[in-house]
Amino acid sequence: MSGFVNGALRLLVTVAHSARKLFWFVRRPKTYGAHAIALTPEGRIILVRLRYAPGWRVPGGGRRADEVPMDAALRELREEIGMTAHSEVKLACDFEESIDFKRDTASLVVVRDVRYAPRWSWEVEQVREFPLDSLPPDISPTSALWIEKVRPSL
């Protein structure tokens, strides 16, 4: 994709995300999320770089209140990284957090032996693998915290 098109797309998605944040500031909604610690068969972690947020992040996103966290995490992996196969799926933890003016209940799910074939996405700019002991310096603080929280069980 050309630099101009990529830059224009980044601007458009960032503006849309900022508008959503304004809505959340006014409404203060209760939301639910599911995020995946996706590990390759070699034990490397798969991270994404979103067009509208800085830093590398664990894949994930919103889920309905009645959606099973593991199902939502697998859906997000198919959407964000093009996951084609996996083995064990296990809920690592749930936690409450306040992000972008939302009251969020987030579930962190560990998915092992992930195979994937990234495809173009309006949301995800890059997908990369990293060794667990060599995470990128520009990883998002929240993702770094989540990884450290579950690292003993990995």
Side-chain angles (χ1 to χ4, degrees):
M1 177 179 305
S2 77
F4 174 76
V5 172
N6 196 37
L9 185 57
R10 180 189 310 273
L11 177 64
L12 180 67
V13 174
T14 301
V15 168
H17 186 69
S18 295
R20 289 177 70 192
K21 282 195 214 179
L22 179 60
F23 171 77
W24 296 329
F25 176 76
V26 173
R27 294 286 317 266
R28 309 278 181 183
K30 174 70 177 155
T31 59
Y32 300 87
H35 306 275
I37 302 293
L39 301 171
T40 66
E42 299 77 28
R44 295 167 64 92
I45 189 166
I46 302 166
L47 300 176
V48 298
R49 184 180 292 281
L50 302 174
R51 293 186 194 281
Y52 56 84
W56 289 97
R57 299 167 179 270
V58 297
R63 68 176 170 93
R64 297 180 316 276
D66 64 343
E67 189 175 15
V68 176
M70 286 74 72
D71 293 343
L74 293 175
R75 174 180 45 78
E76 288 292 334
L77 286 173
R78 286 188 294 273
E79 291 173 4
E80 292 189 3
I81 70 167
M83 182 180 68
T84 57
H86 64 85
S87 64
E88 180 186 27
V89 180
K90 182 178 177 184
L91 180 63
C93 61
D94 288 318
F95 45 91
E96 300 287 326
E97 58 186 1
S98 179
I99 294 181
D100 294 333
F101 311 108
K102 301 177 291 180
R103 296 169 296 125
D104 194 39
T105 298
S107 298
L108 193 56
V109 176
V110 176
V111 183
R112 296 189 183 279
D113 301 321
V114 173
R115 300 212 183 267
Y116 64 103
R119 54 187 183 266
W120 185 89
S121 164
W122 66 268
E123 180 182 23
V124 177
E125 185 174 356
Q126 271 185 295
V127 177
R128 285 195 39 207
E129 300 174 14
F130 296 91
L132 275 167
D133 60 353
S134 184
L135 297 174
D138 61 339
I139 189 169
S140 80
T142 302
S143 290
L145 179 70
W146 290 345
I147 293 166
E148 287 310 310
K149 185 172 186 122
V150 300
R151 187 182 293 272
S153 66
L154 300 177

